[in-house]
């Protein structure tokens, strides 16, 4: 349900991603929305100082931050040459790329149901974007953004299950993307106080709802599910994006597009009906501090609502050899 809420916020925010380009260039828009989002969650970072991080924390956080900055920048750039409806659905092709990336990178084999749902989602996205005719630079950029988002979701899931600290991860991603995009936007000469003021409503929507809240929700939710499962659920963004484009921008969808939306929703419902798969905690390089192990392994199960966790009591390790 949290992932579905995030998808709704992204889909409705896709309209603002399109209209903000009337006042700002794409890089300035990305930088400012991420700056707003980063400042909003920054105050919560101090509360996570006592949480154990585990070895390899900073390298993992850096990898997640770089992938996020690239993904969100490419997504914004695609709106320069693609309609909101097309861009929303092409970005949703991350649904089928994510299970492949998870399989290759962390050995997370997709279930048959998830593989079918991912394929149906891509088919629905193709119908919603009215086929592959007339693919331009904006559409291709959207697909490239989807590929980067897929890699980001896999790395984000691995990072969150190993290190926790969702607010720290969110703030790092947002402020890192702002530090990357804002200087480039300023160099283009389109970033000015007047332009920022004119784009104020769109930036408020993007910064607060589509960035701080939506990406924050996903960052927290991926502690409890696999990247492939999350990718199918958040593909609902395409449906919400098409709905928002119809209401606010007057974009009209054809009957095949409506069929595509129904297919995507059906795929999401089929995945939800089969329950949320337990996220596999990846093996960490180096020893795990003893007091950090219960948090890394047991906390996701406890917070996901399990009644009990095996071996959650005192643990004797000195009398048993490692297996």
């Amino acid at each position: 349900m949290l992932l579905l809420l995030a998808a709704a916020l992204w889909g409705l925010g896709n309209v603002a991603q399109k209209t903000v380009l009337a006042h700002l260039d794409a890089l300035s828009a990305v930088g400012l929305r991420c700056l707003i989002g980063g400042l909003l969650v920054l105050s919560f970072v101090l509360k996570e100082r006592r949480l154990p991080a585990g070895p390899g924390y900073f390298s993992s956080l850096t990898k997640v931050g770089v992938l996020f900055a690239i993904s969100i920048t490419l997504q914004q750039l695609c709106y320069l040459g693609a309609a909101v409806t097309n861009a929303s659905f092409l970005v949703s092709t991350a649904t089928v790329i994510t299970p492949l990336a998870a399989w290759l990178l962390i050995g997370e084999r997709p279930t048959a149901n998830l593989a079918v749902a991912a394929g149906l989602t891509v088919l629905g996205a193709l119908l919603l974007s009215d086929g592959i005719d007339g693919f331009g630079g904006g559409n291709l950029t959207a697909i490239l953004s989807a590929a980067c988002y897929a890699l980001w979701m896999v790395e984000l899931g691995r990072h969150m299950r190993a290190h926790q600290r969702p607010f720290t991860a969110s703030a790092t991603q947002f402020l890192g993307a702002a530090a990357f995009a804002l200087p480039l936007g300023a160099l283009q000469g389109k970033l000015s106080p007047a332009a920022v003021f004119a784009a104020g409503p769109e930036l408020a929507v993007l910064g607060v709802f589509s960035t701080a809240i939506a990406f924050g929700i996903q960052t927290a939710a991926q502690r409890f599910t696999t990247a492939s499962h999350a990718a199918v659920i958040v593909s609902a963004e395409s449906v919400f994006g098409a709905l928002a484009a119809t209401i606010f921008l007057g974009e009209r969808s054809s009957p095949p597009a409506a069929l595509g939306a129904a297919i995507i929703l059906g795929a999401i419902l089929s995945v939800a009906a089969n329950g949320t798969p337990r996220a596999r905690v990846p093996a960490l390089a180096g020893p795990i501090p003893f007091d950090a192990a219960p948090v890394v392994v047991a906390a996701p199960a406890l917070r996901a609502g399990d009644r009990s966790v095996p071996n959650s009591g005192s643990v004797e390790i000195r009398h048993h050899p490692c297996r």
Side-chain angles (χ1 to χ4, degrees):
M1 293 303 297
L2 286 175
L3 289 170
L4 194 59
L5 174 60
L9 293 175
W10 284 322
L12 296 175
N14 286 346
V15 172
Q17 279 193 280
K18 181 73 173 181
T19 57
V20 75
L21 295 177
H23 311 289
L24 293 168
D25 60 275
L27 292 171
S28 296
V30 168
L32 289 171
R33 69 175 284 191
C34 289
L35 179 62
I36 294 171
L39 293 177
L40 286 175
V41 302
L42 191 60
S43 60
F44 298 98
V45 173
L46 295 178
K47 298 181 179 180
E48 298 180 335
R49 289 181 301 174
R50 297 183 179 274
L51 293 178
Y57 172 71
F58 290 104
S59 61
S60 176
L61 186 61
T62 300
K63 188 184 300 183
V64 170
V66 169
L67 285 172
F68 175 80
I70 295 173
S71 301
I72 197 170
T73 301
L74 288 173
Q75 183 182 16
Q76 184 65 64
L77 288 171
C78 80
Y79 285 95
L80 292 172
V84 172
T85 300
N86 279 19
S88 298
F89 294 111
L90 290 173
V91 171
S92 73
T93 56
T95 305
V96 74
I97 303 174
T98 301
L100 179 61
W103 190 359
L104 295 176
L105 293 177
I106 60 177
E108 184 180 277
R109 290 178 177 269
T111 63
N113 177 70
L114 193 61
V116 171
L120 289 175
T121 300
V122 174
L123 174 61
L126 183 63
L127 291 173
L128 274 164
S129 60
D130 292 324
I132 60 175
D133 293 336
F135 254 37
N139 294 328
L140 294 176
T141 303
I143 294 177
L144 183 58
S145 173
C148 292
Y149 268 127
L151 296 175
W152 168 71
M153 291 182 71
V154 173
E155 291 299 332
L156 176 64
R158 176 158 53 182
H159 175 82
M160 288 308 302
R161 294 192 293 272
H163 305 292
Q164 307 294 305
R165 302 190 182 189
F167 289 114
T168 303
S170 297
T172 300
Q173 292 175 96
F174 301 155
L175 295 178
F180 166 74
L182 278 177
L184 295 177
L187 290 175
Q188 291 185 351
K190 297 181 180 180
L191 182 59
S192 66
V196 173
F197 180 79
E202 288 91 347
L203 289 175
V205 171
L206 292 172
V208 177
F209 297 101
S210 296
T211 304
I213 297 178
F215 280 111
I217 286 174
Q218 182 180 4
T219 299
Q222 280 204 235
R223 290 179 293 173
F224 311 122
T225 187
T226 65
S228 301
H229 181 267
V232 173
I233 300 299
V234 300
S235 66
E237 173 191 352
S238 56
V239 179
F240 289 111
L243 180 62
T246 299
I247 295 174
F248 296 107
L249 300 180
E251 293 185 7
R252 290 292 179 262
S253 298
S254 62
L259 175 61
I263 290 174
I264 292 175
L265 289 176
I268 293 172
L269 290 175
S270 71
V271 169
N274 282 273
T276 301
R278 180 69 53 82
R280 182 176 66 86
V281 179
L284 296 176
I288 303 175
F290 178 76
D291 59 349
V295 178
V296 174
V297 178
L302 286 173
R303 296 178 187 178
D306 283 6
R307 291 174 295 178
S308 62
V309 179
N311 298 327
S312 60
S314 60
V315 180
E316 291 288 337
I317 61 173
R318 65 183 69 180
H319 303 301
H320 300 278
C322 295
R323 294 182 175 84

